[in-house]
Amino acid sequence: LPISPLCTVHAASLSNDTLHKPGAMGAQGSTEAVGEVFTLESLARFDGTSLPMYIGILGKVYDVSESSNFEAGEGYGDLWAGRDATYALATLSLDKKDANRLDWDMSQFNEGQLKALAAWNKHFSAKYPVVGHLKEYQGRCVDLPESALKAVANVQLPGVSGGDGIAAGTAPPPKMRPTAPVIGEAPRTEHI
C-alpha cells in the first residue's frame, strides 16, 4: 500500500526473534514484555479460552481479559477475541467476516467511519493495556486524520461511562445481539 508522506507508519521492531511464542507467559497469564509482536495466526490463540483474551486495533494488541464485556465464545468475545477488529470497528460491523480484514487503508473510510474508529481507538487505548503489536501492520499507515481525532476528543461512546462497558456493562438479552454504536446515539439491539 502506498504511504502518504504525512503518515507515520507502524514502526514496531519486527524480527523473527521477537514474534510471540507459546510459553512466553507471565505469572498471571499475560505476556511479560510489553511490545510482543504477534501475527494474526499467533493472536488467534488469545481468544480467552485457555489463554488471555487479546484484540488487535490499528496494529496494537490489547488485553481485554478483565473486561466483563468480552466473554470467550459470546458476544464481542465471539466476534473479536484473538482477532484484529480495526475494520469491524471502523465500519461498525458485527459480522465475523469483518474481523482480521486487512484489505483496507485509511483513505477508503468515510468521515463517519474515521470518527467511529477514532472513538473506539481512544476507548481501547484508555481502558486496556497494550501487550504487543501485529506484524501485519508493519509499514502500514495507521494515523487517524486530525479532524477525526478532534471530533472525538470529548466524545464518550454510548454506554461507556463509569463501569466497564461497551454497553453499560450488561450482556445483551438472549436471542438479541448488540449493534455497533453510533457516536451520539444510545446502544441498540436487534432480534436475531
Side-chain angles (χ1 to χ4, degrees):
L1 297 173
I3 297 171
S4 163
L6 301 175
C7 181
T8 306
V9 295
H10 191 274
S13 41
L14 301 171
S15 72
N16 288 333
D17 296 343
T18 61
L19 290 178
H20 188 273
K21 295 179 177 59
M25 305 303 293
Q28 296 183 15
S30 51
T31 55
E32 290 179 3
V34 172
E36 290 285 340
V37 179
F38 294 84
T39 63
L40 289 176
E41 183 181 347
S42 66
L43 179 61
R45 294 191 315 263
F46 292 86
D47 63 359
T49 53
S50 62
L51 293 172
M53 186 179 297
Y54 294 171
I55 293 175
I57 300 170
L58 289 173
K60 292 181 181 177
V61 177
Y62 295 93
D63 183 345
V64 298
S65 301
E66 299 299 317
S67 173
S68 61
N69 291 296
F70 294 97
E71 298 292 328
E74 298 178 21
Y76 301 116
D78 185 46
L79 291 171
W80 303 323
R83 298 181 181 100
D84 179 73
T86 304
Y87 183 85
L89 292 171
T91 59
L92 303 176
S93 172
L94 293 176
D95 289 331
K96 277 188 168 184
K97 68 178 177 57
D98 288 330
N100 281 348
R101 279 194 60 180
L102 297 174
D103 60 342
W104 57 268
D105 66 54
M106 290 292 184
S107 67
Q108 295 172 309
F109 294 135
N110 65 37
E111 182 180 346
Q113 292 169 330
L114 290 168
K115 287 178 183 177
L117 184 55
W120 283 116
N121 187 55
K122 175 185 166 195
H123 172 72
F124 277 81
S125 294
K127 188 165 190 86
Y128 304 110
V130 174
V131 294
H133 299 86
L134 280 167
K135 180 179 180 182
E136 287 84 354
Y137 277 77
Q138 181 180 18
R140 287 188 76 143
C141 177
V142 294
D143 287 349
L144 288 158
E146 191 65 32
S147 60
L149 296 173
K150 285 180 182 177
V152 301
N154 296 314
V155 170
Q156 183 72 33
L157 290 170
V160 185
S161 60
D164 181 30
I166 288 176
T170 59
K175 307 264 183 192
M176 307 268 303
R177 73 174 182 195
T179 60
V182 176
I183 296 173
E185 290 185 10
R188 303 169 301 209
T189 57
E190 64 182 30
H191 292 279
I192 53 174

